[in-house]
Amino acid sequence: MLGYLLRRSDRCEDAADLLAETFLVGWRRFDELPPGDQARPWLYGVARRALANHRRGERRRHALADRLRDDLAAGVPGADDVAVSPAAAAAFLALPEQDRELSSLVAWEGLGTAEIAVALGWSRNAVRIRLHRVRRRFRQLLAAHQHPRAERVGLAPVKETPR
């Protein structure tokens, strides 16, 4: 049975999975298993159907991957419509990773505080507080990047002490 599946599969891992599936079907349908020498051809039929299902699944996965690749090659709709100033981009990149993620969930993904709380595993109140702090830091960083002398007049990024 394994040889049958190895000769018809592209990968030996797939053949092993198909063999396990074949014998699982045989075990589950043990009452329908023909007696004696007829059990072997019956299992070949099960293996053939398992292989056909596997091939159909592979074709669907490859078609989906091709479609996604084509969609990504075409670009994200509307991504080029957004103009970002160099100062805003620099200010955003100057934020810590966690602050950038929080800002991205609001600005790019359009999530509300309740949705962000679920996504990040925080309380809604923590999201609101952190979002307020991120926006304040971003404004300060933006001002510093727009006006190079702004850091000298006290607009440097705020360093918050952990609580």
Side-chain angles (χ1 to χ4, degrees):
M1 193 68 50
L2 180 59
Y4 172 84
L5 292 166
L6 280 170
R7 286 186 290 277
R8 286 159 178 80
S9 300
D10 294 332
R11 300 178 15 211
C12 61
E13 295 88 2
D14 292 341
D17 290 343
L18 290 165
L19 180 67
E21 187 176 336
T22 299
F23 284 114
L24 179 63
V25 169
W27 179 255
R28 284 184 180 160
R29 297 176 63 191
F30 189 75
D31 293 339
E32 298 173 36
L33 192 67
D37 292 341
Q38 294 302 313
R40 189 171 179 210
W42 187 86
L43 285 172
Y44 274 109
V46 171
R48 186 180 59 78
R49 285 187 290 281
L51 185 60
N53 287 337
H54 174 74
R55 287 179 177 156
R56 266 194 307 278
E58 285 291 307
R59 280 194 303 272
R60 280 193 305 269
R61 281 187 287 281
H62 287 296
L64 176 61
D66 291 342
R67 193 171 76 235
L68 288 173
R69 195 172 9 279
D70 292 343
D71 290 349
L72 288 174
V76 179
D80 297 332
D81 300 339
V82 179
V84 177
S85 73
F92 179 76
L93 292 174
L95 289 170
E97 175 63 32
Q98 193 174 35
D99 291 353
R100 286 195 308 265
E101 178 64 16
L102 181 57
S103 299
S104 298
L105 289 173
V106 171
W108 295 341
E109 308 307 329
L111 298 182
T113 54
E115 296 165 317
I116 293 171
V118 171
L120 298 179
W122 300 345
S123 70
R124 281 202 244 170
N125 195 40
V127 170
R128 283 192 291 273
I129 291 168
R130 289 180 184 198
L131 191 54
H132 172 73
R133 291 176 182 167
V134 168
R135 287 175 174 154
R136 185 180 65 215
R137 277 193 288 273
F138 181 76
R139 280 193 302 272
Q140 291 173 341
L141 287 167
L142 183 59
H145 283 91
Q146 287 176 338
H147 306 289
R149 294 183 296 173
E151 279 190 36
R152 288 190 267 160
V153 295
L155 291 177
V158 175
K159 301 238 186 215
E160 295 197 25
T161 57
R163 293 181 184 227

